[in-house]
């Protein structure tokens, strides 16, 4: 089965990544981000496998799907990063800059089918902004932020994502309704990986994170997170 062969190859990459980063994983390091991305890809393969076994899709249909192609694209980027052996600010900064809006668009599409099961509607707006940050790091920031929103947002609610900028910074704003405790505890990771990813961005690229819970008269409340990333990031 071709699918099984592909899965085993990608699982091997995750194991290699874990081994390479084991001395850095407890630190505020990009290694955290890359291991998370590898885990997410392997998790997606498990979901694909379940769909094949349930005969909802054939193996051929899965391997021709946009989600499969996006998973391969993410994986190829991780394979390139694995060659670095040491993960630092140098691996996060790239030139030419990355199209951040395109990363947002791809990742919201990548997770949309899964989030649709929870009946969320994702609204993406804003302008095409570029930043000097590795696409894998940006993707991890987007996926962990989406996971955090989906964990707290009630069914049939909306998750609003906006990308904007001024002369010096790019602003990623994510808004969603929320209750006082997680609604969908099975979504995302229990280790606070979203906060850890934000710490990496704060430490290595000078990002700032602002979180605000807006109390309303009727539940649920409203949660707004804004991540500010400098346009000029130097090694």
């Amino acid at each position: 089965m071709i699918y099984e062969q592909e899965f085993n190859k990608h699982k091997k990459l995750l194991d290699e990544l874990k081994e390479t980063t084991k001395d850095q994983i407890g630190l505020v390091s990009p290694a955290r981000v890359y291991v998370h991305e590898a885990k997410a890809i392997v998790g997606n393969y498990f979901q694909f496998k379940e769909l094949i076994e349930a005969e909802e899709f054939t193996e051929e249909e899965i391997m021709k799907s946009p989600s499969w192609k996006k998973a391969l694209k993410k994986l190829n980027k991780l394979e390139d990063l694995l060659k670095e052996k040491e993960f630092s600010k140098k691996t996060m900064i790239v030139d030419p800059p990355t199209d951040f809006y395109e990363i947002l668009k791809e990742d919201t599409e990548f997770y949309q089918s899964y989030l649709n099961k929870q009946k969320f509607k994702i609204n993406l707006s804003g302008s095409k902004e570029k930043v000097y940050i590795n696409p894998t790091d940006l993707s991890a920031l987007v996926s962990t932020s989406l996971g955090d929103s989906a964990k707290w947002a009630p069914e049939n609610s909306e998750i609003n994502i906006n990308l904007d900028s001024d002369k010096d910074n790019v602003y990623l704003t994510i808004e969603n309704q929320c209750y006082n405790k997680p609604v969908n505890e099975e979504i995302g990771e229990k280790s606070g990986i979203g906060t850890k990813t934000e710490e990496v961005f704060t430490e290595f690229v000078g990002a700032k994170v602002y979180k605000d819970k807006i109390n309303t008269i009727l539940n649920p409340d409203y949660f707004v997170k804004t991540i500010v990333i400098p346009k000029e990031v130097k090694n």
Side-chain angles (χ1 to χ4, degrees):
M1 186 178 186
I2 298 173
Y3 183 86
E4 291 287 350
Q5 293 171 0
E6 287 291 320
F7 173 80
N8 290 334
K9 173 187 170 185
H10 304 147
K11 180 67 170 61
K12 182 182 177 184
L13 176 69
L14 173 59
D15 292 339
E16 286 179 22
L17 194 57
K18 284 180 177 177
E19 180 63 27
T20 304
T21 61
K22 65 182 179 183
D23 295 330
Q24 302 174 57
I25 206 66
L27 308 172
V28 177
S29 164
R32 286 177 170 176
V33 175
Y34 306 144
V35 170
H36 169 268
E37 279 296 275
K39 283 182 178 177
I41 294 168
V42 170
N44 285 323
Y45 283 118
F46 275 119
Q47 291 173 14
F48 294 148
K49 187 177 180 181
E50 287 174 3
L51 292 172
I52 293 169
E53 290 175 347
E55 297 184 351
E56 293 185 34
F57 294 92
T58 65
E59 181 182 287
E60 185 179 7
E61 286 172 334
I62 288 288
M63 296 181 75
K64 286 182 178 178
S65 70
S67 292
W68 175 271
K69 291 173 183 175
K70 288 186 177 107
L72 287 180
K73 186 177 178 181
K74 285 172 176 277
L75 195 80
N76 289 335
K77 288 174 182 172
L78 279 171
E79 285 181 312
D80 290 339
L81 285 167
L82 193 57
K83 297 171 187 173
E84 294 288 339
K85 299 297 181 184
E86 182 179 343
F87 304 111
S88 62
K89 183 176 180 178
K90 187 176 76 171
T91 58
M92 289 187 73
I93 309 304
V94 296
D95 193 3
T98 303
D99 187 332
F100 197 178
Y101 190 84
E102 192 61 31
I103 295 290
L104 269 175
K105 184 180 175 184
E106 284 186 2
D107 273 30
T108 49
E109 288 174 356
F110 187 65
Y111 290 101
Q112 183 74 68
S113 58
Y114 175 68
L115 294 173
N116 277 348
K117 293 179 182 177
Q118 314 300 326
K119 300 182 180 176
F120 296 126
K121 181 181 178 184
I122 300 176
N123 302 312
L124 176 60
S125 62
S127 52
K128 278 190 167 290
E129 305 295 344
K130 294 185 177 182
V131 289
Y132 290 89
I133 299 174
N134 192 302
T136 299
D137 293 279
L138 290 175
S139 184
L141 185 68
V142 173
S143 65
T144 54
S145 296
L146 271 175
D148 286 345
S149 292
K151 185 184 285 287
W152 293 86
E155 191 176 87
N156 295 315
S157 65
E158 297 184 355
I159 298 173
N160 299 313
I161 306 169
N162 180 260
L163 191 66
D164 207 348
S165 71
D166 58 20
K167 181 169 66 75
D168 300 314
N169 300 298
V170 172
Y171 300 87
L172 172 63
T173 303
I174 301 177
E175 306 175 349
N176 60 273
Q177 291 179 313
C178 65
Y179 289 103
N180 291 325
K181 62 181 182 179
V183 178
N184 306 293
E185 293 193 55
E186 75 282 1
I187 297 178
E189 300 201 22
K190 296 180 181 179
S191 59
I193 189 67
T195 301
K196 291 177 182 177
T197 303
E198 290 161 11
E199 286 176 357
V200 170
F201 270 75
T202 301
E203 177 75 19
F204 289 91
V205 300
K208 296 180 181 178
V209 182
Y210 300 96
K211 300 178 182 181
D212 189 22
K213 186 176 179 183
I214 302 170
N215 295 317
T216 58
I217 296 175
L218 300 173
N219 265 338
D221 294 324
Y222 218 70
F223 181 76
V224 181
K225 175 165 69 175
T226 301
I227 302 171
V228 184
I229 300 174
K231 281 188 174 179
E232 296 293 329
V233 181
K234 302 296 182 184
N235 264 316

